[in-house]
Amino acid sequence: MQRKIIRAMALLLSTFMVLASMFACASSTPQATTAENTTVAAATEAATTAAATTAAATAAATTAAQATSGSGSTQAPSQYKQAPKLDGLDLPPVDERLPKNPLVVTPYESVGKYGGTWRNTIVIGLRGHSLAGFTSYEGRNLVIWDMERTEIVPNLVVDLPIISDDATTFTFTLREGIKWSDGTPLTTEHVQFWFEARESNLKINPGWQTAPIKVQDVIVHDEYTFSLVYNVPNPLALYDLSRHVGGNAFFLPKQYLAQFHPDYNDKAEDLAKEAGHDDWVRYFNDRNNFEINNELPTTMPYVLQNDGAGANTLSFERNPYFWAVDTEGNQLPYIDSVVVDIVESEDITMMRAAAGEIDMQMAVFTETYLYYPFLAENAAAGDFSIGSFDIIESGAINLHFNIAHDDPVIRAVYGDARFRKAMSHAMNRDLIINTQLTVGPVKATPRNFSPYPGSPWFDEKWSSAYTEYDLDKANALLDEMGLDQRNAAGIRLMSNGEPLGVVIDVPLYDKSFVDLGIAVADSIKVTGVDATARSLEPALWGERGAANEWEGSMMRGSGGFQFGSLNDINDYTGFRGTGWMTYYQNAFIRNRQSVGAREAVEPDDYPDEIVKLWDLGAEAAKEIDEAKRNELYKQMFDIHEENLYVLGIGTILPGIYIVSNRMGNVPPLHADWSFGHGGHGRPSQYYFK
C-alpha cells in the first residue's frame, strides 16, 4: 500500500496527472504477483515519462528502502555499521559507500553475525547457474523475487517500473549512490553503455537485429532514471526482468569495459591481439565475464579475487560497496568470503559433504534426488540438514528427434508425427521409472511433455497422451509409415534402403541422465529402430545441437509453464530463438534468423505447424489482454499435443540442497532458471552462528 501512495504522490506532482485507477486496469496474468498488479499501469506514454522524472526526485526523500521478505517496506536505519574485516582498510566511511536509500533486507530469522568462509563446490560444466545463486541474481538484477517467491520486488531500483499503457516503455529509478566495487557511482551512464556497447552492437550481439522482442532503445531522463523501450508491447516483461541476468545485466561498468571496445578506444583491437584473442569482441566478452575476470567491477555482494580462467578454486571476498543493509543498519553481506572448489565429479562433492566440508550448497545435489539416501545417511556426521523442493519443469528429462535433420530421408522419418508417437508408445515408462526414477517411497509418475502439475495450464489428458506402453500400436504406426521392411538383423529400413536408427545424445550434467538415455534407447530398439545413447560433455552437446549435428537428444529443461512468461512461451514455440526445449526445431530457427544457414532446410520446407508455433508465440508474447493470450496458449498446446514434438518420460523428482547446521538465515530454497540456485533466499543475509 505504501508503494501505491508514494507513486500516486509523485504522479500528482508531475505536469501530467494520471488517474490512480490506471494501476488496476493493466493486463493481468494467471498467478500474477501483487507487485505486478501494482505496476502494470495503463498510462499514456507521455504521462508515464514525465511522472517517472518527478518520481525520481520524490523517491529519494519519501520512499523507504524495500524489504525483501515480502512483508512491505522497512525504514532505513539512521546509522550504519560495517564488517570488522573492513576496519583499518583504506576505504571511505561506510555511510559514504552506501546509497542514500540502501536496500533494507529483513533477515529471515535474526540479525546475523559478521565473519566466516562459506565453502562449496561445483562440478566442471555447471559453473553458470551454480554461481548465480550467491552472486549475480541478488547483486545485478533491477528487480527480483522475494524470499517466499510470492512477488517481484525492487532491488537495484527504488521501486518497480512505471509501465506505459501499451506495455512498451518501462521506467526505472536506480538507488542514488550505489557504487561499483571500485567505488565508481552507478548511474544511467552505465545503462546507456550497456545498450550501445553491448546489447544493440551487432558484432557482440548479432541476434538483436532479428529478435522479435527486444529493448529497442534506452531513454535517459536524468542521472538515475531511465526507460527501457521495447520494439513491441511486452506485457510479460516483469517476469523476464526478474530472471537472473547472468552476464548481461542492464548496465555495465563503462569505466572499465570501454577500453576494450573500439567505439570508445581505437586501440581496442590491438589490446585484444596482445592478450591473445582473435578480435576485440572475444576480448570484450572475456573481460565482461564476472565468473573469470577478477578485475571486472561489480555490484554483487562478493567480488572474485583470483583469475577464474582454468582455475580449480574460485575465491570471493565481500564487496565493501555492496548497497544493502539489514534492519539494524549492518552492511551486508554477513559472511566475509566464499570459496568454490571446481571438482570433476559429483562423487567428490558427496564425499566432501559427508566430511562436513560444505556449508551450504544446491548445485550438484539439485540435479538428482538419487543422492538423497547417501546425504541422509551422512547428515549427522557432516553436521548438515537437507532441504527439498518441487522442481518446476515439464518432467524428469525430455527426448527430442531432429525434425530438421540434414538428410531429407531421415528428416522425413523424424518429422512424421506417427514416428514420434510410435516411439512414445514404445517407451516402457513404468519400467524406466521403477529402475531410474524411484528413490524409496518417492517415485515419478508417467507423463509426456506438457506444463507441470502445479501450472494453471496443466492438462491431465495432454499429460498422459501417448504414454501407454503398447508395442502393437508402436509397430502399427511404423508400418503405416512404410517402414515395414527389415534387414537380416531385424532393423527397419527407410525409403532409401538404409537401416533406420537414432543416436541419442545425452549431456553429462549428471550420470543419471545417461542411465535414462540408455533405458529409453533399449525401449525403442524393440520396435526395430536401431537406437543407442551416448554421453557428451555439456559443451560438446551444446555445440552439436547448435550445428545440427545430431539425431536424437535428451535433456532436462524448463517447459513447466508456471507463469506464461516469455521464456515459457519460447519453450513451446521457439519464437525468439533456440533453447533446450526447442532443439527439435533448432535448425529451422537458425535458418529463419539467417536464411541460408548450412545446417537448415529451405524456408519453403518449414513445416506449417512449426511456422504456426512461431507466429502464435510472437503474438502471445505481446498480447495485453489475458483472455486472448490464454486462447493463443491453447492453440500452442493443441499443436504440441497433436504433434508430440517433445517426448517426456515422467514427472521430475524433488530437488535437494544441504545447509550446515552452523549457518543461519537460510529460508526454504528453490532452484529455478529464474534465479539461479537459491538466489531468492538473499544469500547476503546468511551467516555463521
Side-chain angles (χ1 to χ4, degrees):
M1 178 63 69
Q2 183 181 19
R3 194 151 56 224
K4 291 182 181 178
I5 294 171
I6 291 167
R7 180 173 291 141
M9 289 172 59
L11 294 177
L12 287 170
L13 291 171
S14 71
T15 55
F16 294 91
M17 180 175 295
V18 183
L19 294 176
S21 61
M22 71 183 183
F23 295 99
C25 64
S27 160
S28 59
T29 304
Q31 291 191 350
T33 65
T34 302
E36 287 176 305
N37 289 336
T38 302
T39 57
V40 186
T44 65
E45 185 169 347
T48 299
T49 303
T53 304
T54 304
T58 306
T62 62
T63 304
Q66 303 298 315
T68 64
S69 63
S71 59
S73 301
T74 300
Q75 289 290 342
S78 58
Q79 292 185 331
Y80 300 116
K81 290 155 279 188
Q82 68 179 20
K85 191 171 184 178
L86 299 179
D87 294 345
L89 299 182
D90 186 19
L91 290 168
V94 62
D95 302 63
E96 296 178 14
R97 300 198 309 271
L98 288 167
K100 290 184 177 181
N101 54 342
L103 181 81
V104 179
V105 177
T106 301
Y108 177 66
E109 297 167 333
S110 64
V111 170
K113 298 188 298 184
Y114 283 123
T117 298
W118 173 359
R119 303 163 299 168
N120 61 40
T121 70
I122 55 178
V123 177
I124 295 173
L126 292 177
R127 177 181 294 202
H129 56 272
S130 301
L131 297 181
F134 72 90
T135 56
S136 66
Y137 186 67
E138 182 178 12
R140 293 159 60 88
N141 270 58
L142 300 176
V143 296
I144 66 172
W145 286 96
D146 66 354
M147 287 188 199
E148 293 79 16
R149 298 184 301 111
T150 57
E151 65 173 330
I152 296 170
V153 296
N155 195 44
L156 277 156
V157 292
V158 298
D159 208 345
L160 293 170
I162 297 175
I163 305 174
S164 62
D165 60 340
D166 61 356
T168 61
T169 305
F170 293 70
T171 301
F172 294 90
T173 299
L174 295 168
R175 296 179 186 276
E176 182 178 349
I178 288 179
K179 295 179 177 62
W180 294 91
S181 55
D182 64 358
T184 302
L186 172 67
T187 68
T188 49
E189 179 182 14
H190 300 102
V191 179
Q192 192 74 41
F193 178 76
W194 160 79
F195 180 72
E196 294 176 352
R198 192 254 176 229
E199 185 67 8
S200 63
N201 186 287
L202 298 184
K203 290 189 176 180
I204 293 180
N205 186 22
W208 180 82
Q209 188 171 28
T210 56
I213 293 185
K214 62 188 177 186
V215 176
Q216 181 72 39
D217 195 12
V218 167
I219 300 174
V220 171
H221 302 287
D222 57 39
E223 198 171 7
Y224 301 106
T225 305
F226 66 94
S227 295
L228 300 177
V229 182
Y230 289 89
N231 61 321
V232 295
N234 192 4
L236 303 171
L238 270 183
Y239 288 128
D240 263 24
L241 291 168
S242 62
R243 288 176 63 86
H244 107 75
V245 295
N248 188 30
F250 291 89
F251 50 90
L252 291 175
K254 180 179 180 180
Q255 71 274 18
Y256 172 76
L257 287 176
Q259 64 183 308
F260 309 112
H261 200 296
D263 289 354
Y264 305 86
N265 180 11
D266 56 12
K267 298 187 182 300
E269 196 70 53
D270 294 335
L271 288 176
K273 296 294 175 57
E274 290 172 8
H277 290 269
D278 293 338
D279 54 44
W280 73 267
V281 172
R282 292 178 184 273
Y283 195 34
F284 182 92
N285 288 334
D286 175 84
R287 297 296 80 193
N288 187 34
N289 186 345
F290 72 88
E291 297 176 15
I292 63 173
N293 183 12
N294 59 316
E295 298 177 352
L296 181 69
T298 183
T299 54
M300 299 186 297
Y302 296 99
V303 182
L304 182 65
Q305 298 299 300
N306 62 310
D307 184 353
N312 295 320
T313 299
L314 301 178
S315 297
F316 295 84
E317 294 288 335
R318 64 168 57 257
N319 178 359
Y321 290 92
F322 190 55
W323 37 272
V325 299
D326 68 15
T327 49
E328 293 187 2
N330 299 297
Q331 185 189 28
L332 298 174
Y334 291 131
I335 296 174
D336 285 331
S337 57
V338 183
V339 174
V340 182
D341 289 326
I342 303 173
V343 299
E344 294 182 355
S345 71
E346 299 90 344
D347 294 339
I348 297 175
T349 301
M350 295 298 115
M351 294 301 105
R352 291 192 177 185
E357 297 174 359
I358 292 176
D359 297 308
M360 184 268 154
Q361 182 159 324
M362 299 193 77
V364 182
F365 305 130
T366 294
E367 299 301 324
T368 173
Y369 194 73
L370 299 178
Y371 297 131
Y372 189 93
F374 176 86
L375 293 172
E377 182 180 346
N378 289 277
D383 194 26
F384 61 81
S385 299
I386 306 173
S388 66
F389 57 93
D390 291 331
I391 299 177
I392 303 171
E393 293 188 355
S394 57
I397 202 163
N398 295 301
L399 172 63
H400 304 169
F401 292 99
N402 188 358
I403 65 174
H405 197 282
D406 282 344
D407 188 317
V409 176
I410 296 176
R411 185 166 69 244
V413 174
Y414 295 168
D416 193 316
R418 291 172 296 181
F419 173 77
R420 300 188 293 274
K421 292 173 183 177
M423 296 301 95
S424 186
H425 282 304
M427 271 195 247
N428 189 338
R429 287 177 172 80
D430 287 334
L431 176 62
I432 294 172
I433 287 172
N434 287 336
T435 57
Q436 305 295 331
L437 294 172
T438 298
V439 180
V442 180
K443 185 176 183 177
T445 301
R447 68 189 302 263
N448 242 322
F449 171 76
S450 61
Y452 87 113
S455 166
W457 295 276
F458 175 69
D459 184 330
E460 180 63 46
K461 175 177 173 291
W462 174 17
S463 173
S464 60
Y466 312 109
T467 59
E468 177 188 7
Y469 177 55
D470 192 327
L471 289 178
D472 289 337
K473 281 186 179 180
N475 284 312
L477 285 167
L478 294 173
D479 289 344
E480 183 182 313
M481 289 175 61
L483 300 170
D484 52 349
Q485 301 299 309
R486 304 188 184 218
N487 63 15
I491 304 301
R492 292 178 182 270
L493 301 177
M494 296 184 291
S495 60
N496 60 0
E498 295 294 322
L500 171 60
V502 59
V503 176
I504 302 172
D505 291 340
V506 186
L508 195 56
Y509 283 107
D510 187 276
K511 58 187 178 183
S512 67
F513 289 12
V514 180
D515 294 336
L516 281 166
I518 293 172
V520 168
D522 288 345
S523 282
I524 290 173
K525 279 182 181 178
V526 181
T527 64
V529 176
D530 189 16
T532 57
R534 65 179 176 188
S535 64
L536 298 175
E537 287 301 318
L540 179 58
W541 173 81
E543 290 171 4
R544 292 181 67 87
N548 205 38
E549 297 172 350
W550 64 287
E551 296 174 349
S553 183
M554 288 182 66
M555 181 55 191
R556 176 182 296 175
S558 11
F561 220 88
Q562 182 181 15
F563 301 117
S565 66
L566 294 182
N567 278 282
D568 288 334
I569 296 171
N570 185 65
D571 285 341
Y572 283 75
T573 66
F575 84 99
R576 69 172 185 176
T578 190
W580 289 341
M581 304 309 299
T582 52
Y583 258 5
Y584 65 94
Q585 54 164 297
N586 193 29
F588 294 144
I589 294 171
R590 288 172 63 84
N591 197 50
R592 176 184 57 156
Q593 293 172 339
S594 179
V595 175
R598 179 203 64 77
E599 68 275 8
V601 299
E602 295 300 319
D604 289 345
D605 292 328
Y606 294 161
D608 291 342
E609 296 305 318
I610 294 296
V611 176
K612 182 71 178 295
L613 283 176
W614 294 341
D615 292 342
L616 286 170
E619 190 175 352
K622 64 183 180 182
E623 178 53 64
I624 296 177
D625 184 89
E626 178 188 351
K628 293 179 180 178
R629 191 165 60 243
N630 282 333
E631 177 55 36
L632 295 169
Y633 291 162
K634 184 179 184 306
Q635 294 180 51
M636 289 159 34
F637 298 153
D638 287 346
I639 291 174
H640 272 278
E641 183 177 355
E642 175 59 31
N643 289 277
L644 204 64
Y645 288 120
V646 183
L647 283 66
I649 297 173
T651 52
I652 191 167
L653 297 180
I656 54 177
Y657 58 94
I658 66 170
V659 181
S660 168
N661 294 325
R662 300 185 304 116
M663 185 176 277
N665 278 351
V666 182
L669 295 179
H670 199 283
D672 189 281
W673 305 118
S674 293
F675 34 73
H677 280 69
H680 66 95
R682 283 285 183 189
S684 66
Q685 53 97 43
Y686 299 169
Y687 75 100
F688 288 105
K689 301 174 183 177

